[in-house]
Amino acid sequence: MGTTQLESVPEPKYWHLKTVLSEALDQDFAVGEILPNERELAARFGVARATLRQALEQLELEGRLQRRRGVGTTVAPPRLGVAVGGTGRGWPSEAGEGWQPVDAAEGLPTPAVARLLGVDPQSRIHTVRRTRVTQGQPVAAELLHVPGGSVPGLSAIDAPAGPARARAVLRELRRLELDGQDRSVELGSARADDAKELDRLPGAPVLVVTTRYLTADGTAAVSVATYRADTCRLTFGDLGDVQIHPDDTRQAS
Amino acid sequence: MGTTQLESVPEPKYWHLKTVLSEALDQDFAVGEILPNERELAARFGVARATLRQALEQLELEGRLQRRRGVGTTVAPPRLGVAVGGTGRGWPSEAGEGWQPVDAAEGLPTPAVARLLGVDPQSRIHTVRRTRVTQGQPVAAELLHVPGGSVPGLSAIDAPAGPARARAVLRELRRLELDGQDRSVELGSARADDAKELDRLPGAPVLVVTTRYLTADGTAAVSVATYRADTCRLTFGDLGDVQIHPDDTRQAS
DNA sequence: GAGTGGTCTAGACCACGGT
DNA sequence: CCGTGGTCTAGACCACTCG
């Protein structure tokens, strides 16, 4: 009788821990505040550090925490709403939306890019690297692939490597008349070079946005942008303004 | 002299392991094939099981692997492209696109939902639960929130709990004239109930798609859909057909 | 019951950021 | 230099699936 049915379906420790921490974050901590270090938190909750870390990992994945080696764990601000534009907007903008051209180069496409572009894998393409910064924070790294054949003026570009060359390619690209766009979003993990641009460790979770730019002739360019999944909320339309608290967005009915 | 500079920037073991495994998956394994178990793989690569698991975790996050307790680790098929519709499509379809109504209930909104709907947190709303199935696989679980005030016929619904009631609410909803939509995508982790519908463990990575349905009167409904991040690629437009191999989509220029 | 992945422990050392 | 989070180990036990 007196026996209450405790843990009949024993919740994993890290899961329970995550819940407890999540509530503590809401109530007892302000954005930017530093949490006690992992060893102390683990001791305080009576678990191994690895278990505590599993809980922190989840919370970081949900955008609640930010961890930096050598510094500590801080409470993350709400995710930034970054607009990625509805279908059929237009060419990639130059200065707008925080995009910053980094460099451009010529080379062979990967099989997947060749397939997306609908070109011969052996044909040379131009690749523009851009970075997107919002409110001082790097949020995305992009590779924009343009087949040499789709833009006439491309081969004439003689700007030296660097932002100037990237801008030149983009300028040529915008001469074309755009018919529409195609977009897909999936989860990925940051490659070493992207991670560096995003100020994260390799393998960090990212949202990979693949965009096809279509003209009457077919696919004129393909962009693959990797957004920081921990700090970003991709918006299509006007939802960007609204504050969404990550944890109570969804509810049991 | 004879000393080659090995590991001058020592790559983490699990990262290197991931690369090796990734290549092995491309070359030596077919989709659906079962890998050796974790203990054997760890032994074969000379690492602790935890380290091996860290590599597997990443590969699963990228949609390359599928792990099921009691069964084993299998090679995952390419991600399913699931259409989530461009901005301004229309009301949620009933039978189309694999959506299946599950249930409907009345209750109070969470603060976040109330904010998205622009209603008083104390007002009662209807919540419809739906599941989306594609090619026999559950890919998404959705909660559709409808304020009682926005649809006149809603209070007259007397269908018993279950799919019939859900269909009734959707039917009433479709009477309204839709002005547009708003959408955002972010990373999250599956709540226990969603995880069950998606056939995953709680905490599994999901893509949370929040949609606002707008009429002349304001926000008529809000949908929060959680898609399996491991198996799904969300598509906006016509990109759904194209095969994208997860790993070589992005390249160094 | 045998075999699988999932959780957890108690340590150790490393890489990085600030002082 | 110290303190932080990041990696890694070698175990143990649990929960699940299936024959």
Side-chain angles (χ1 to χ4, degrees), chain A residues 108-109 114 118-125:
Chain A
L108 292 177
V119 301
D120 176 6
Q122 299 304 321
S123 66
R124 297 183 70 78
I125 63 168

Side-chain angles (χ1 to χ4, degrees), chain B residues 12-14 39 47-51 54 69-71:
Chain B
K13 274 191 189 179
Y14 77 92
R39 289 159 180 87
V47 299
R49 192 179 153 216
T51 305
Q54 208 172 344
R69 172 155 49 179
V71 179

Side-chain angles (χ1 to χ4, degrees), chain A residues 12-14 39 47-51 69-70:
Chain A
K13 274 191 188 177
Y14 78 91
R39 287 160 181 87
V47 298
R49 192 179 154 217
T51 305
R69 170 154 49 179

Side-chain angles (χ1 to χ4, degrees), chain A residues 18-37:
Chain A
K18 184 196 128 180
T19 310
V20 172
L21 284 169
S22 180
E23 287 167 3
L25 289 181
D26 288 333
Q27 297 166 12
D28 308 333
F29 289 89
V31 168
E33 204 172 340
I34 300 185
L35 269 62
N37 71 54

Side-chain angles (χ1 to χ4, degrees), chain B residues 158-251:
Chain B
D158 58 353
R165 187 179 175 85
R167 269 189 291 266
V169 174
L170 288 171
R171 200 156 42 232
E172 287 303 319
L173 190 59
R174 287 195 202 93
R175 292 182 190 278
L176 297 184
E177 192 183 339
L178 189 60
D179 259 24
Q181 292 179 355
D182 244 356
R183 203 171 267 117
S184 88
V185 177
E186 64 187 311
L187 181 58
S189 50
R191 290 195 336 281
D193 55 343
D194 288 332
K196 202 175 169 187
E197 304 254 30
L198 297 177
D199 192 24
R200 300 283 324 179
L201 291 178
V206 290
L207 297 172
V208 182
V209 180
T210 306
T211 308
R212 274 199 309 193
Y213 293 96
L214 306 171
T215 66
D217 294 338
T219 305
V222 161
S223 146
V224 181
T226 71
Y227 286 80
R228 283 185 59 155
D230 54 344
T231 57
C232 294
R233 198 178 83 247
L234 307 183
T235 66
F236 304 80
D238 310 320
L239 201 54
D241 314 324
V242 188
Q243 281 288 357
I244 304 181
H245 183 95
D247 220 6
D248 61 0
T249 302
R250 299 164 286 150
Q251 65 163 17

Side-chain angles (χ1 to χ4, degrees), chain A residues 132-145:
Chain A
R132 186 170 181 176
V133 178
T134 301
Q135 299 180 17
Q137 298 265 351
V139 292
E142 180 203 48
L143 290 178
L144 179 68
H145 305 284

Side-chain angles (χ1 to χ4, degrees), chain A residues 90-94 99 130 142 144 170 173-174 178 181 213:
Chain A
W91 286 110
S93 54
E94 180 155 357
W99 284 110
R130 296 197 302 171
E142 180 203 48
L144 179 68
L170 289 171
L173 190 59
R174 285 195 205 94
L178 188 61
Q181 292 178 356
Y213 294 96

